[in-house]
Amino acid sequence: MNKLFTLTGLLFLSGSFAMAQNIQNNPGSNHGNKFEQLGTILPTPNEQRTASGAPGVKYWQQRADYNIKCELDEKICYLRDLKP
């Protein structure tokens, strides 16, 4: 009897996995055509990013410089702050 329940459960699970991977169950996805352009997925290029994802003409990056004073004690794996 246990073998029957196990076999039925395995058949049920394998069938549900097969349906989940079927492209026809998700017609909105574009994974069916391997050579389809990604225009529907990726945003259009602008001044900050080009179509390839590289930085554009008006790309900017924030810079922050910090002066952190601390001491590392490697024996006990501890980092101490050395604020005045």
Side-chain angles (χ1 to χ4, degrees), residues 2-67:
N2 275 343
K3 288 183 182 181
L4 178 63
F5 285 127
T6 305
L7 182 61
T8 306
L10 287 174
L11 286 174
F12 175 73
L13 287 175
S14 65
S16 64
F17 285 126
M19 287 180 62
Q21 298 300 321
N22 189 350
I23 189 69
Q24 293 171 350
N25 290 335
N26 191 2
S29 76
N30 66 339
H31 302 296
N33 184 358
K34 294 177 184 171
F35 299 104
E36 183 177 352
Q37 293 294 319
L38 295 176
T40 58
I41 296 176
L42 298 177
T44 55
N46 55 30
E47 294 175 336
Q48 285 79 27
R49 290 281 179 188
T50 62
S52 68
V57 242
K58 291 192 174 180
Y59 176 80
W60 62 276
Q61 192 169 12
Q62 184 174 349
R63 179 178 173 163
D65 296 318
Y66 298 100
N67 187 10

Side-chain angles (χ1 to χ4, degrees), residues 68-79:
I68 301 173
K69 295 184 180 186
C70 60
E71 179 182 83
L72 176 64
D73 190 345
E74 293 183 36
K75 291 179 184 176
I76 60 171
C77 297
Y78 190 75
L79 185 65

